[in-house]
């Protein structure tokens, strides 16, 4: 028995065929090439057909499909809102997949939920009942497993930790993406570096040569070389990451928090410092009960989680 | 059929007999008179006996007992840690109650869990699957219902929102009770007023007459009279309460947040301002989906929640 996991991003998508035991049997990645609305769905449908064919050929027919979507998935309708896919504003993705593939159960969830599901299935939070995947990339979000359940909230928006308030006063600049994401996401790191560069006229270093090319990668590269401006940027981020982790520890008392996404990645080496910062702020008993670590699945957490969704659908169908 | 709900505080305890429909059939309140350890348990056992007798006399025998404890309840052992009851450090409370009353099922939980359980049973969060009781009194804690489950976490410490970090840099003063509780609890309000008084030598007002008598009540009284120092204190608290509510909204996407505890109370009139402050910070979709209001049960949320625990125990026994 096999399942198909699909992880949609803003510019590309991963299609992995998995065995029920979590072994990857086949991998495909496609580019979305700036496609919009229906055209994105068509690309997905075409690749699903191809993947189903591949699975047949290798003698492991797909019994269910799971899809991870970067945005909000409305559970009552299966429609999705994905800010990075033009035209996907309440787009009926699940319905479309079900119409095209009526004989294969399909399930859909948001990327945050899939990240923590993936880690719980085949990654670093196996066996946990309380665990959080804090994803720090272009944006920031959290997949939260509490008392064994993925949190969705009243409107499928739970886990929007990019909006966490960590210092007053409020500024209009936070309105687009929230305080925490404004400062401590991939985009935030570049923004903060550019801001400090303007405020530090005496600085001549790696990041002053071409201010227009500053992004999180150039900041990390400069940080590795102990560039003073990059050190200041990472100090600020480290404080915010530590405070956010502390707030999750005090609220959820989890067994594990996974730091994932594009930034962890390069920032994985900072995890011991983040844990030290968090220990200052968090409820001390809870602070002694959790492990903070990187993702075991790295950039594939979402596609593993999508496959896990599919597997759950198969098991629920079997139980009925 | 009736149940007995018991709400323990640091100095007193409430014993209410409830019908299964949530009607209060009898109320008793006892003072703990500075008793310690075993002596507190003895007072409780004596009053349970009295309440059981009362229930028999009114023809509504008690079928289960529920107890709310101000601290941590370890679910695997039923032992409790209650910082305000001397000697209750891993005290085997549940075991003691069960030994003394072997024929009546007894259940125990922490006060935060009982607050939200009580509101869900007979208060303002009836029918909610995602709701939070933010209790602001001497201390600060949160009872969290997420996807229909009360959050406990890996070590029964979940909901320790008094430790929420809302501004850097870290100061040693936060180590005793956490940032949020340090500034925005009942004790925090008094602390902040005393601090601002020292920093404002030109101030002569209600709070300068007898600085040693400043507490949250005198600050609220001065605030009602538009005293400038009290206004400044409440402005700071309002900002922190708003940020904390916003963080709960972004993380949990709840249907309702209840502001309760001794401070709400007098601060209930500030709820519209707190909601306005929270709206600036929170994830905007989630911010449009929740209601912020006071407790319907006021100081009795805990004892209602304790009764609800007892009722659940009866129903679980019936299901078996």
């Amino acid at each position: 028995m096999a399942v198909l996991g699909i992880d949609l991003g803003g510019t590309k998508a991963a299609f992995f065929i998995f065995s029920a035991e979590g072994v990857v049997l086949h991998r495909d990645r496609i580019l979305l090439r700036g496609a919009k609305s229906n055209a994105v769905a068509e690309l997905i449908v075409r690749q699903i057909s191809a993947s189903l064919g591949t699975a047949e050929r290798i003698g492991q027919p797909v019994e269910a499909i799971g899809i991870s979507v970067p945005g909000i998935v409305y559970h009552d309708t299966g429609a999705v809102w994905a800010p990075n896919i033009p035209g996907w504003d309440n787009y009926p993705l699940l319905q479309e997949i079900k119409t095209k593939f009526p004989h294969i159960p399909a399930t859909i969830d948001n990327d945050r939920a899939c990240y923590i599901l993936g880690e719980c299935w085949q990654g670093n939070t196996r066996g946990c009942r309380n665990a959080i995947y804090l994803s720090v990339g272009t944006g920031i979000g959290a997949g939260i497993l509490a008392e064994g359940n993925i949190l969705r909230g009243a409107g499928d928006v739970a886990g929007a930790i990019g909006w966490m308030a960590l210092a007053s006063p409020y500024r209009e600049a936070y309105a687009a993406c929230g305080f925490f994401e404004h400062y401590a996401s991939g985009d935030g790191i570049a923004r903060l570096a550019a801001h400090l560069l303007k405020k530090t006229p005496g600085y001549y270093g790696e990041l002053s040569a071409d201010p227009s090319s500053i992004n999180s990668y150039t900041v990390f590269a400069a940080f590795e070389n102990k560039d003073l401006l990059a050190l200041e940027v990472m100090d600020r981020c480290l404080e915010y990451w530590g405070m956010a982790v502390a707030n999750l520890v005090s609220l959820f008392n989890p067994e594990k928090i996974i730091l994932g996404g594009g930034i962890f990645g390069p920032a994985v080496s900072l995890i011991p410092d983040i844990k030290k910062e968090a220990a200052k702020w968090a409820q001390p008993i809870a602070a002694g009960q959790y492990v903070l670590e990187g993702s075991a699945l790295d950039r594939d957490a979402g596609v593993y989680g999508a496959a896990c969704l599919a597997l759950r659908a198969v098991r629920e169908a079997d139980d009925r």
Side-chain angles (χ1 to χ4, degrees), chain A:
Chain A
M1 194 260 280
V3 294
L4 175 60
I6 304 174
D7 180 25
L8 300 179
T11 57
K12 55 196 171 188
F15 293 70
F16 285 19
I17 302 166
F18 289 86
S19 75
E21 295 72 35
V23 177
V24 179
L25 304 173
H26 186 82
R27 289 163 215 255
D28 281 306
R29 295 186 197 268
I30 65 169
L31 292 173
L32 302 180
R33 299 180 191 283
K36 292 177 193 164
S37 197
N38 287 29
V40 179
E42 278 165 29
L43 283 171
I44 294 167
V45 165
R46 203 172 312 151
Q47 181 57 46
I48 291 176
S49 294
S51 296
L52 297 182
T54 304
E56 290 285 349
R57 269 198 307 283
I58 60 177
Q60 301 273 4
V62 164
E63 294 196 17
I65 301 170
I67 308 175
S68 164
V69 177
I72 302 173
V73 172
Y74 299 107
H75 270 82
D76 46 349
T77 62
V80 304
W81 174 84
N84 297 324
I85 300 178
W88 277 23
D89 176 7
N90 206 28
Y91 188 83
L93 181 64
L94 184 60
Q95 199 185 314
E96 205 149 316
I97 303 290
K98 286 188 168 180
T99 308
K100 291 283 162 54
F101 304 98
H103 304 301
I104 303 180
T107 329
I108 185 172
D109 213 330
N110 65 62
D111 51 359
R112 312 194 272 267
C114 288
Y115 297 151
I116 187 67
L117 271 176
E119 289 290 334
C120 285
W121 183 39
Q122 294 293 328
N124 277 338
T125 60
R126 269 178 274 199
C128 291
R129 282 181 55 80
N130 293 280
I132 298 165
Y133 188 107
L134 178 54
S135 170
V136 184
T138 314
I140 299 185
I144 302 170
L145 182 84
E147 309 302 327
N149 298 294
I150 301 286
L151 299 199
R152 313 192 175 287
D156 295 302
V157 188
I161 194 175
W163 296 83
M164 189 173 266
L166 296 170
S168 60
Y170 177 77
R171 298 208 177 97
E172 272 309 316
Y174 309 152
C177 64
F179 177 95
F180 184 36
E181 187 167 311
H182 180 80
Y183 287 111
S185 63
D187 286 0
I189 289 170
R191 198 180 292 123
L192 190 55
H195 172 74
L196 290 177
L197 187 61
K198 261 191 228 155
K199 275 183 53 186
T200 321
Y203 164 83
Y204 294 99
E206 277 185 55
L207 297 170
S208 62
D210 179 8
S212 69
S213 75
I214 290 178
N215 58 40
S216 60
Y217 300 99
T218 59
V219 176
F220 271 111
F223 173 72
E224 292 296 329
N225 296 329
K226 302 199 168 30
D227 174 86
L228 287 180
L229 198 98
L231 284 170
E232 198 177 334
V233 171
M234 296 319 295
D235 261 3
R236 279 279 286 279
C237 286
L238 207 149
E239 190 172 54
Y240 291 143
W241 291 330
M243 290 168 76
V245 165
N247 290 350
L248 292 174
V249 167
S250 301
L251 280 174
F252 293 96
N253 183 203
E255 295 142 80
K256 283 210 177 175
I257 297 180
I258 302 296
L259 289 170
I263 298 299
F264 295 90
V268 155
S269 64
L270 297 175
I271 286 180
D273 294 321
I274 296 170
K275 184 146 194 198
K276 212 178 284 173
E277 179 67 27
K280 293 197 271 178
W281 299 95
Q283 204 282 351
I285 298 172
Q289 294 178 336
Y290 85 111
V291 171
L292 183 68
E293 62 185 331
S295 164
L297 306 173
D298 201 17
R299 294 187 323 144
D300 293 335
V303 75
Y304 272 87
C308 182
L309 282 179
L311 210 60
R312 284 186 171 194
V314 174
R315 293 204 174 127
E316 277 165 24
D318 286 351
D319 286 349
R320 261 184 254 124

